[in-house]
Amino acid sequence: MIIIMKMNTVQQNIEAVVSRVEKAGFRTHLSVGEERTIIGVIGDERKLDRGAISRMEGVDRVVPVLRPFKLASRDFQPEDSKISINGHVFGDKKVIVMAGPCSVESLEQMRETAVAVKEAGAHLLRGGAFKPRTSPYSFQGMGEEGLKILAQVREETGLHVITEVMAPEQVDLIAQYADVLQIGTRNMQNYALLNAVGQSNKPVLLKRGMMSTIEELLMSAEYIMSNGNHKVILCERGIRTFEKYTRNTLDINAVPVLKELTHLPVVVDPSHATGKWTLVKAASKAAVAAGADGLIIEVHPNPAEALSDGEQSLKPHRFVELMSEVRRVAEAVGRTI
Ligand code: PEP
Ligand code: MN
């Protein structure tokens, strides 16, 4: 349930309610708005005396939250969450662009890509060092050596880096090098991993499972948040449907639906959503028009030679073109980039 306090009620009243709820064995989450404070209550609400709480000084009303996700819900926190990485804020007016290859392949490849995407206006660098490949015989990533390359290129270019973590035991190692931890589509419901990243203090980009509902995505965000880490960025990356022309189907509906249901920032991955570089620009523009807070896009200096996802990777000059068109869409919907 949420306890909505009266407008401009004094701090003492808020503290009294929080203390009563916590003494009854519940956890609370405070959302301090411009005019009023909302106290979110986490626990089995049937055991709390709603009537007694609603009669407390400064309480406007007590409302049950029927949705299964709480910390992620807009009922608990009406204002958008803002997550800042190197001064680039997800969930604000600016559309944040993360770009780079699917996999880290060498220092030269990362350096060349980073310089090019930065020049084109990207804000963060992406690159996988531990790769979740469908086939065990495909390139599995460079591992820690890849992380070192990412850190070096960050040093050289100033671009902060996002990279995937696939297992709970990798979290500490990857957190030493990365600025954002990515949970891939295949691990969206790996609860041990969600708990582990929830205990780290790094922002997490949580990708929607390719066969998961929007509610399941939010429940996975709830796992991370209930462990104390509220810096969660959601990512729509396409879902499986009967359509075979594209690798996945970009569920553009998910963007406004998520913006209604949650205060967390929402980004779109047009590369995995389409699987074809020719479609990435159109999908990016659609995402920004629909209200996405950011994009994560695969760019490779030589897609034909890429060790993974070359078919959907943009050459740097195409990324430049994409950025200039996306910028116009962003401006048309009152955003910057
Ligand atoms: C990736 O970002 O390269 C990746 C593997 O993405 P996803 O988990 O969405 O397939
Ligand atoms: Mn990829």
Side-chain angles (χ1 to χ4, degrees):
M1 67 170 76
I2 54 171
I3 303 165
I4 303 173
M5 301 302 288
K6 289 192 172 130
M7 292 230 221
N8 306 314
T9 192
V10 293
Q11 188 60 25
Q12 211 181 337
N13 290 341
I14 298 169
E15 280 164 18
V17 174
V18 168
S19 141
R20 174 153 184 176
V21 170
E22 288 184 350
K23 274 202 190 109
F26 294 84
R27 283 166 61 199
T28 57
H29 171 75
L30 229 56
S31 164
V32 184
E34 295 258 300
E35 286 175 334
R36 47 169 105 230
T37 294
I38 296 175
I39 304 167
V41 179
I42 305 147
D44 184 357
E45 297 171 9
R46 289 168 304 182
K47 295 187 188 135
L48 201 62
D49 184 350
R50 261 177 72 187
I53 302 278
S54 51
R55 287 189 296 275
M56 286 182 78
E57 193 105 29
V59 173
D60 183 0
R61 57 192 195 279
V62 178
V63 183
V65 174
L66 301 173
R67 302 193 197 283
F69 46 91
K70 313 275 179 200
L71 294 168
S73 143
R74 253 212 209 277
D75 298 332
F76 261 51
Q77 183 185 310
E79 294 83 23
D80 285 336
S81 274
K82 298 192 194 315
I83 300 171
S84 177
I85 295 147
N86 195 24
H88 302 298
V89 183
F90 286 84
D92 215 344
K93 200 172 169 212
K94 188 165 94 171
V95 175
I96 308 298
V97 179
M98 298 161 273
C102 180
S103 300
V104 178
E105 298 168 6
S106 69
L107 177 59
E108 294 66 36
Q109 169 241 19
M110 279 318 293
R111 190 182 269 149
E112 187 179 343
T113 315
V115 167
V117 299
K118 184 178 180 187
E119 171 80 19
H123 309 104
L124 271 87
L125 180 66
R126 66 148 287 149
F130 294 91
K131 294 304 300 178
R133 304 306 301 280
T134 303
S135 163
Y137 308 119
S138 301
F139 176 59
Q140 302 287 306
M142 291 180 78
E144 188 169 0
E145 204 188 328
L147 299 175
K148 289 185 174 151
I149 291 173
L150 283 170
Q152 179 168 342
V153 174
R154 171 181 52 205
E155 206 59 42
E156 292 174 10
T157 61
L159 285 179
H160 279 210
V161 300
I162 168 166
T163 197
E164 179 160 355
V165 48
M166 296 204 317
E169 59 275 14
Q170 290 173 347
V171 173
D172 286 344
L173 174 76
I174 295 180
Q176 284 172 35
Y177 296 95
D179 303 291
V180 184
L181 304 174
Q182 173 175 328
I183 303 284
T185 191
R186 295 161 184 83
N187 275 314
M188 190 203 83
Q189 288 182 313
N190 178 343
Y191 299 117
L193 180 59
L194 299 177
N195 286 332
V197 298
Q199 281 154 28
S200 111
N201 58 9
K202 292 279 174 181
V204 177
L205 180 108
L206 176 64
K207 290 189 142 194
R208 179 180 179 182
M210 62 181 90
M211 288 170 287
S212 299
T213 64
I214 291 172
E215 185 168 296
E216 286 163 344
L217 169 62
L218 289 168
M219 292 312 291
S220 292
E222 195 75 16
Y223 262 91
I224 300 171
M225 297 174 84
S226 65
N227 276 280
N229 187 351
H230 286 210
K231 289 178 280 187
V232 180
I233 301 158
L234 303 170
C235 179
E236 160 62 36
R237 49 77 72 205
I239 51 174
R240 283 214 165 152
T241 67
F242 52 80
E243 179 53 61
K244 290 193 295 189
Y245 187 77
T246 49
R247 182 176 181 182
N248 291 289
T249 297
L250 172 57
D251 181 10
I252 201 75
N253 291 350
V255 177
V257 169
L258 285 166
K259 294 304 275 180
E260 265 181 27
L261 293 177
T262 179
H263 51 84
L264 296 172
V266 178
V267 308
V268 167
D269 174 345
S271 307
H272 293 86
T274 59
K276 290 192 169 90
W277 72 265
T278 53
L279 307 175
V280 170
K281 187 169 67 180
S284 301
K285 291 193 281 187
V288 171
D293 297 303
L295 296 166
I296 178 162
I297 300 175
E298 288 185 341
V299 178
H300 194 288
N302 185 2
E305 302 288 318
L307 296 181
S308 60
D309 287 350
E311 327 75 64
Q312 65 194 36
S313 298
L314 294 172
K315 290 182 182 166
H317 77 276
R318 304 238 185 244
F319 179 67
V320 171
E321 197 178 286
L322 175 148
M323 286 297 280
S324 95
E325 290 190 30
V326 169
R327 186 168 290 117
R328 279 155 59 201
V329 174
E331 283 161 7
V333 296
R335 315 276 302 247
T336 57
I337 195 160

